[in-house]
Amino acid sequence: MGRADAAASGGFSLGMLIYDTRYRSLTIQIVFLMLFMAAAAWLVENTIENLEALGKDFSFRFLSAPAGYDINQRLIDYNNQMSHARAMLVGLLNTLVLAAAACVTATIVGVIAGVLRLSRNWVVARLMTVYVEAFRNIPLLLWILLIFAVMTESMPPPAAFRGEAATSSMLLFDSVAITNRGVYVPEPLFDRSLGTVDLGIFLVSLDLVALIIAVVAAVAINRAILRRAEAVQNLTGIRPTTWWQSILVLGGIPVAVLVALGFHLGFPELKGLNFSGGTHLRNSLIAMWLALTIYTGAFIAENVRAGILAISRGQTEAAFSLGLRPGRTMNLVILPQALRVIIPPLISQYLNITKNTSLALAVGYMDLRSTLGGITINQTGRELEGMLLMMLVYLVLSLSISTVMNIYNARVKIKER
Amino acid sequence: MDRTAPFVRTAMIPQAPPPRGETGLVHWVRANLFATPLDAVLTVLSVVVVWQIAAGIGPWFLNAVWNASSLAQCREILAGEPGACLAVIRDRWHQLLFGFYPSEFYWRPTLALILMLVALAPILFAGAPRRLLWFSAVYPALAYWLLWGGTIWFPALALAGFAVGYGAFRAVHAAVPLIAVPAAALATVLWWVFLTGPLSEALHAILPVGLTFVRSDSFGGFMLSTIIGVTGIALSLPIGILLALGRKSDMLLIKTISVGFIEFIRGVPLITLLFTASLLLNYFLPPGTNFDIVLRVVIMVTLFAAAYMAEVIRGGLAALPRGQYEAADSLGLDYWRSMRLIILPQALKISIPGIVNNFIGLFKDTTLVVFIGLLDPLGLTTAIRADSAWNGIFWELYIFVGACFFIFCFGMSRYSMHLEARLKTDHR
């Protein structure tokens, strides 16, 4: 008590800034802040000076200038007279499509491989171990280049599909053609199309909107059916049979909409030197997609395996002793718990996929990195602005994915006090 | 009531062999390959897949041609048979390993690599003599001198900066202990910035000892990957620890800056950071500064890896029970002592798998430097194909590069298992 009083009565002395724990953290932070500001000011000043020396200014006006280059894969309307901003948007959409597709397939591959690696089957478990180790220990870029080389070097040219003595044939009842120029798959066509609506930036197909609404509605109705079944079960102890209703709703509504729109598939056909009709998936897209899928799938497999192993054997035994069948044990007891362990690393794998799409440069896939960060920067000489803008876009993308996944994680997470 | 005849066994029944099908190969096959119909299907499928792959690749490898000077000659020798043209590896292995490093100086990177193994031994293995740690401390300067060449005084004086810093620390510590660490850091930085350059020139003029200078644009291949990877790995761990501590800090400002840095770096792809190194760094530095592209890349890769490292170590810090922090406080240890003696040894041990995964990731990511024009092993495969003799050769080069990466990364992951087992202190 004596010392505290003495310190209090002694008033404030300069030494207390360092020696008194009440003030020390403040002192450190202020010194740190000053250093940080000084460093930031130094960088900004250097940048201003360098820009002046080069005779450049800092502006984003170049985004509205005509881009002047073509993009071979575009999801929205684009030609080389449109602006750099438009080209950036096309690139961003290509990035997003690739990332979304790779996330879905990598999850499927990863879950299957992770479960199979725990299989009692000796051959299958070893095979999955080889798969996981091979892909985790070899750079992604190598896999991208390798698959791209397989697609462009080892696949038959479209001419090989021609004539009576064709050396190659199309797969799946003449609907898919794998050539060295890319993969041709059937495209969805609508006889009684609803047309498109112009949103100002791009056109939206009303057929697609109708289909999405139909699927969402079907899922919602199915949920209502299941909820009612559950209510009945809670009341009477007998669960009404719902599977045929579910099938009818989930399958029937979308099919009805498709029929109403006159849906049919447009098959690719060999015309002249190349295939026409159908959707053309370029080699660059296929290489990126496959490489990201199997590379990230190996990582996800490890996460899934770790998640399942984290659930103690007692949980399975407890579920069995309650009389649950193996399938229900998996669905009701093991998976919900394993999911909690699996989801956080899964989030970072999705983020990795999104960031790794920027390797598309290696095979000439026109993603954000190749449009904004590549050709636009080269043509306009705006490295600083272009790079900052690109980093910002990637940052927003990463943060939004992690926010969405974190919300999902919070929902499935174990509820603690 | 009948009396049941008593039965007393007087002799042991001889041991019977286990029922047929419960032991031996048949049982093993049944239990592990054909336990259920699904298992049987999977087994058959896997065997078919393995057989297909082996049938495709086996002859290709067995027919491999080792002696040829061009792809055309290889094809002539193979005469239409499937076969690998591994002659390209034989012809160009030195390029894949060293890039365009002058061939008369190959002994320099080789020696640097051997010395690196010596320098790493006391850090990686408990059995190695402790005195070697002094060599490990000197090694970075030595490696720089061996690889880049130039005068020996520059790296030697740079190394002396640490001695200067230590001297400053001792001197200030006697007077004002609290500012000893910043003072030492300041003295070291001042020494490097203002004295190292002029002094090394002066000393070189008096006593010229040195190797031929090699420009870093002739670096390439696995040598470049190893330089970037190993430097990044070595530097990112301490920076990552500091960032993780910063993120867990009570001081709002330090915490905010650490979080901002970590989230920014983790939110953007490495490629954009590498492009920043090659295109933008000239904007951020004083006019006229122009330093080595390899050093720039190393700095960026280090910052990138440090952010990921920080997250892994933060996981380790969070996994420690709160009681450990309180126990350290109750012993009266100050912040840095409690971290150094109590918290970090445990937290780092928990994070070993994550740390090693980061190391592996970093080493694989060194291939991305190909995008800014450096010749990593993958960039060199393109350079080799540009030669008309080897135009059109893909698989052999990719397989060689892939195999090298696999050996290195797989070795690292095995080492992490060894380390985990060695540091295990629980009794399960």
Side-chain angles (χ1 to χ4, degrees), chain A residues 388-402:
Chain A
L388 289 178
L389 189 61
M390 191 169 75
M391 282 186 177
L392 187 72
V393 172
Y394 274 118
L395 207 54
V396 169
L397 218 58
S398 300
L399 291 181
S400 11
I401 293 175
S402 66

Side-chain angles (χ1 to χ4, degrees), chain B residues 45-111:
Chain B
L45 265 181
S46 320
V47 169
V48 168
V49 166
V50 170
W51 174 253
Q52 289 281 341
I53 293 174
I57 293 181
W60 191 74
F61 263 114
L62 290 177
N63 284 344
V65 177
W66 284 95
N67 282 311
S69 57
S70 72
L71 188 57
Q73 203 181 345
C74 260
R75 290 193 174 136
E76 213 170 282
I77 296 172
L78 285 170
E81 290 283 305
C85 184
L86 292 176
V88 68
I89 310 294
R90 195 189 164 103
D91 192 40
R92 296 301 178 95
W93 62 270
H94 51 90
Q95 230 172 44
L96 286 168
L97 293 188
F98 300 109
F100 293 101
Y101 205 82
S103 54
E104 65 268 32
F105 297 138
Y106 278 168
W107 63 271
R108 278 160 52 175
T110 314
L111 183 64

Side-chain angles (χ1 to χ4, degrees), chain A residues 122-184:
Chain A
W122 188 84
V123 180
V124 172
R126 290 300 168 288
L127 207 58
M128 287 304 135
T129 308
V130 169
Y131 158 67
V132 168
E133 292 297 343
F135 279 85
R136 267 158 38 106
N137 289 315
I138 293 177
L140 171 61
L141 187 57
L142 182 67
W143 290 118
I144 294 174
L145 292 174
L146 193 69
I147 295 175
F148 189 66
V150 170
M151 293 300 296
T152 50
E153 302 293 321
S154 300
M155 293 302 157
F161 292 82
R162 190 202 315 277
E164 293 299 311
T167 48
S168 306
S169 57
M170 292 167 74
L171 308 172
L172 297 174
F173 310 109
D174 274 1
S175 64
V176 176
I178 301 174
T179 74
N180 63 356
R181 294 194 193 171
V183 176
Y184 295 85

Side-chain angles (χ1 to χ4, degrees), chain A residues 51-210:
Chain A
L51 281 174
E52 256 173 30
L54 289 168
K56 288 182 180 176
D57 58 347
F58 186 82
S59 95
F60 285 96
R61 274 196 296 276
F62 70 95
L63 283 176
S64 54
Y69 58 90
D70 289 314
I71 298 177
N72 55 22
Q73 179 187 317
R74 43 189 184 269
L75 296 175
I76 57 174
D77 196 28
Y78 172 82
N79 62 50
N80 60 17
Q81 290 309 306
M82 290 182 174
S83 66
H84 281 295
R86 182 83 179 178
M88 170 186 144
L89 187 65
V90 175
L92 178 61
L93 283 176
N94 284 346
T95 294
L96 289 177
V97 160
L98 176 58
C103 281
V104 172
T105 46
T107 311
I108 296 171
V109 169
V111 169
I112 293 175
V115 171
L116 284 185
R117 208 182 158 184
L118 289 172
S119 153
R120 280 170 312 175
N121 190 320
W122 188 84
V123 180
V124 172
R126 290 300 168 288
L127 207 58
M128 287 304 135
T129 308
V130 169
Y131 158 67
V132 168
E133 292 297 343
F135 279 85
R136 267 158 38 106
N137 289 315
I138 293 177
L140 171 61
L141 187 57
L142 182 67
W143 290 118
I144 294 174
L145 292 174
L146 193 69
I147 295 175
F148 189 66
V150 170
M151 293 300 296
T152 50
E153 302 293 321
S154 300
M155 293 302 157
F161 292 82
R162 190 202 315 277
E164 293 299 311
T167 48
S168 306
S169 57
M170 292 167 74
L171 308 172
L172 297 174
F173 310 109
D174 274 1
S175 64
V176 176
I178 301 174
T179 74
N180 63 356
R181 294 194 193 171
V183 176
Y184 295 85
V185 294
E187 63 180 334
L189 292 175
F190 298 97
D191 277 341
R192 294 178 284 278
S193 176
L194 297 173
T196 55
V197 64
D198 196 348
L199 281 189
I201 324 173
F202 48 82
L203 303 171
V204 173
S205 154
L206 282 178
D207 307 321
L208 192 66
V209 175

Side-chain angles (χ1 to χ4, degrees), chain A residues 18 29 33 46-47 49-50 56 121-123 136 142 153 295 355 358-359 369 383 387 390-391 394 398, chain B residues 32-33 39 43 178 253 266-267 269 271-272 275-276 282-285 287 308 364 368 378 394 402:
Chain A
I18 294 178
Q29 290 191 66
L33 182 65
N46 284 335
T47 311
E49 227 173 283
N50 282 318
K56 288 182 180 176
N121 190 320
W122 188 84
V123 180
R136 267 158 38 106
L142 182 67
E153 302 293 321
Y295 179 80
K355 284 180 285 176
S358 59
L359 297 188
R369 166 73 197 75
E383 301 101 46
M387 273 300 170
M390 191 169 75
M391 282 186 177
Y394 274 118
S398 300
Chain B
N32 290 303
L33 299 181
D39 264 343
T43 304
L178 255 161
L253 193 74
R266 278 162 42 93
I271 288 196
T272 59
F275 272 96
T276 307
N282 281 342
Y283 282 107
F284 298 140
L285 295 174
Y308 282 82
K364 285 186 296 178
L368 300 197
L378 285 176
F394 287 95

Side-chain angles (χ1 to χ4, degrees), chain A residues 6 44 219 408:
Chain A
V44 171
V219 170
Y408 178 62

